[in-house]
Amino acid sequence: MKTTNADGTVRALSNRHVQMIAIGGTIGTGLFLGSGSTISKTGPSVMWVYLVLGFFFFLMMRAIGEMFYADPSQHTFVAFISRYLGPSVGHFTGWTYWIGLIFVCMAELTATATYVKFWLPNVPAWLIEISFLLILAAVNLTAARLFGEAEFWFAMIKIVAIVALIVTGIFMMVGHHPTPLGQASIGNLFHNYQLFPHGMANFISAFPMVFFAFPMVFFAFQGIEFVSITIGEAKNPHRVIKKAVNETLLRILLFYIGALIVIMGIIPWTSLSPDSSPFVQVFKLAGYPAAAAIINFVVLTSAASSLNSCLFSAGRHFYQLATEMPATSRMRQWFGTISKSGVPAAAIVLSAVLVLVTPVMSLSAATTAVFTIVTGISSDMYLIVYTLAMVAHRKYRLSNDYLEDGFKMPAYRITSPLTIAFFVLIFASLFFIQADIIGAVGAIVWTLLFGTVTTVHQARLRAVARE
């Protein structure tokens, strides 16, 4: 039986959908394409990078999950920032996160065109981009269940690719399969092993590179929080949020660490090319000449999955922003509504229309350069948003909403400040990466300028309300 929320949205996502959305959010395009670059910088110690990052993202998800468990009616975690840190901080975070999502959608839309042109080089990129956007926007506008079904199969393709790599790699290593570089063996991981093979700086820089630097490793973890946005439309929110969040670390261990062990076991890390997909390199050594086409298909579905999730998330976030506006606001009247199909249709359409700027931007080199800079800034802003979510969780713990028997963050008194400190450290490390200095400075400037404007605007609204 269909369950409808008070605001008109429908709880149509089953446990199967949410779990696969969680897996899809954990596995990014960066694993398939960008991990070779990170391995070449850090050697086998890259596994520590992924493991440490995965651990702290798991803690962040536990904090967000705890708040959603207490109030599963919310559609975005930004709603909790508004509730516990005040409307000014919530307004700033909501707009910042939504704008960041739009740029992520644009980047993923550009990526889909690149991957399709692998097979159809003569088809204009703008035509591919518009086609993909229209199809996925239609999926999001139809019903939450259709979105969940699409994400289920997108995630399944990524899982099959990784499991195939791991199984192939295990057989090659167990049988000491000969390769042009020697032979496949688990011993390749420990040959010439050093924790910092290219110095401490490259090791430290790999942390932000995993999800923020311009190499495609950026996509490895970003979007892991998308699963929390599905809770407002999940059939059994209390049950699925526990399962989805608790298995985050296990998925990272299996899909990231498992894949990295196999890759470096077959190809010594000193011989791995940083400029091509390690998945393609492994499958070619295993005797699959069509590896490039197969992995291109996988990353195409991965990019389409990210675009699909971005549209879903962007629509919910803009809807949230609209509902926080005064009742007489035109924005609230237009975008703070739910369609008959149970989705924030107007907010989704607006988000999709803005993403349509991508084909136009690709026509100008100067515009593309500006887009790259702005994307870097918005990406770095995610660290600030994640930190604010952790601070909001600390306020939640002190509020009347706190559930003593809820889905609590483990060892909160230690892990909460430790996670916040870790995000601050990651942001600081961005200044040591030449390619990301502009993005880090831009994120600070955006925070100061837009934060001030937001504070003044909210103060005026409160003054009007008092009058």
Side-chain angles (χ1 to χ4, degrees), residues 91-173:
H91 191 77
F92 163 79
T93 308
W95 280 100
T96 298
Y97 192 78
W98 178 71
I99 291 171
L101 284 172
I102 296 299
F103 279 103
V104 170
C105 286
M106 289 180 174
E108 296 293 358
L109 187 59
T110 302
T112 58
T114 303
Y115 303 140
V116 170
K117 285 177 77 67
F118 177 88
W119 294 291
L120 305 172
N122 297 322
V123 177
W126 62 266
L127 180 60
I128 298 171
E129 291 169 352
I130 290 174
S131 300
F132 264 86
L133 185 61
L134 289 176
I135 292 170
L136 294 179
V139 167
N140 273 272
L141 288 170
T142 304
R145 181 176 178 81
L146 186 58
F147 158 79
E149 202 63 38
E151 282 302 291
F152 177 88
W153 292 108
F154 281 147
M156 184 65 75
I157 291 170
K158 288 190 278 190
I159 291 170
V160 169
I162 295 175
V163 171
L165 175 88
I166 293 174
V167 171
T168 300
I170 289 173
F171 275 106
M172 289 179 71
M173 288 189 293

Side-chain angles (χ1 to χ4, degrees), residues 81-403:
I81 296 176
S82 297
R83 181 184 300 180
Y84 299 117
L85 300 184
S88 295
V89 179
H91 191 77
F92 163 79
T93 308
W95 280 100
T96 298
Y97 192 78
W98 178 71
I99 291 171
L101 284 172
I102 296 299
F103 279 103
V104 170
C105 286
M106 289 180 174
E108 296 293 358
L109 187 59
T110 302
T112 58
T114 303
Y115 303 140
V116 170
K117 285 177 77 67
F118 177 88
W119 294 291
L120 305 172
N122 297 322
V123 177
W126 62 266
L127 180 60
I128 298 171
E129 291 169 352
I130 290 174
S131 300
F132 264 86
L133 185 61
L134 289 176
I135 292 170
L136 294 179
V139 167
N140 273 272
L141 288 170
T142 304
R145 181 176 178 81
L146 186 58
F147 158 79
E149 202 63 38
E151 282 302 291
F152 177 88
W153 292 108
F154 281 147
M156 184 65 75
I157 291 170
K158 288 190 278 190
I159 291 170
V160 169
I162 295 175
V163 171
L165 175 88
I166 293 174
V167 171
T168 300
I170 289 173
F171 275 106
M172 289 179 71
M173 288 189 293
V174 169
H176 296 288
H177 189 281
T179 72
L181 304 170
Q183 63 179 16
S185 170
I186 194 71
N188 286 333
L189 270 74
F190 306 102
H191 184 64
N192 292 328
Y193 177 82
Q194 293 179 8
L195 187 58
F196 311 119
H198 295 301
M200 174 72 82
N202 271 315
F203 180 76
I204 293 175
S205 72
F207 277 87
M209 276 183 63
V210 171
F211 52 94
F212 285 110
F214 284 112
M216 280 176 253
V217 190
F218 160 76
F219 295 101
F221 281 102
Q222 195 215 5
I224 200 171
E225 75 281 0
F226 280 1
V227 64
S228 67
I229 299 166
T230 66
I231 298 306
E233 290 157 81
K235 291 180 179 178
N236 301 293
H238 284 144
R239 182 164 66 93
V240 299
I241 191 64
K242 279 186 173 183
K243 188 173 177 61
V245 172
N246 279 338
E247 292 179 359
T248 300
L249 194 58
L250 181 62
R251 295 186 197 105
I252 291 168
L253 285 171
L254 176 61
F255 295 123
Y256 280 96
I257 307 302
L260 291 172
I261 288 173
V262 165
I263 289 168
M264 288 182 284
I266 296 173
I267 305 174
W269 72 270
T270 51
S271 303
L272 193 68
S273 171
D275 300 321
S276 66
S277 166
F279 277 65
V280 172
Q281 296 177 60
V282 167
F283 282 129
K284 281 187 175 179
L285 285 177
Y288 299 106
I294 294 170
I295 297 303
N296 191 73
F297 173 71
V298 172
V299 294
L300 171 60
T301 58
S302 184
S305 170
S306 295
L307 177 58
N308 195 32
S309 294
C310 272
L311 289 174
F312 180 91
S313 183
R316 271 67 182 173
H317 274 87
F318 200 77
Y319 167 75
Q320 179 72 35
L321 287 169
T323 58
E324 292 175 357
M325 292 290 178
T328 56
S329 166
R330 289 281 181 90
M331 180 175 159
R332 180 164 183 168
Q333 293 170 5
W334 290 346
F335 301 107
T337 57
I338 300 297
S339 69
K340 291 181 180 179
S341 58
V343 299
I348 293 172
V349 168
L350 176 66
S351 300
V353 168
L354 291 177
V355 177
L356 266 179
V357 175
T358 306
V360 178
M361 289 173 56
S362 62
L363 300 176
S364 169
T367 309
T368 303
V370 172
F371 170 67
T372 301
I373 293 173
V374 175
T375 302
I377 294 172
S378 61
S379 298
D380 294 346
M381 284 302 306
Y382 276 87
L383 272 170
I384 296 174
V385 172
Y386 292 156
T387 304
L388 289 173
M390 293 301 303
V391 175
H393 174 254
R394 294 183 67 81
K395 293 288 186 181
Y396 156 79
R397 279 293 187 114
L398 300 173
S399 72
N400 293 329
D401 299 331
Y402 171 59
L403 294 179

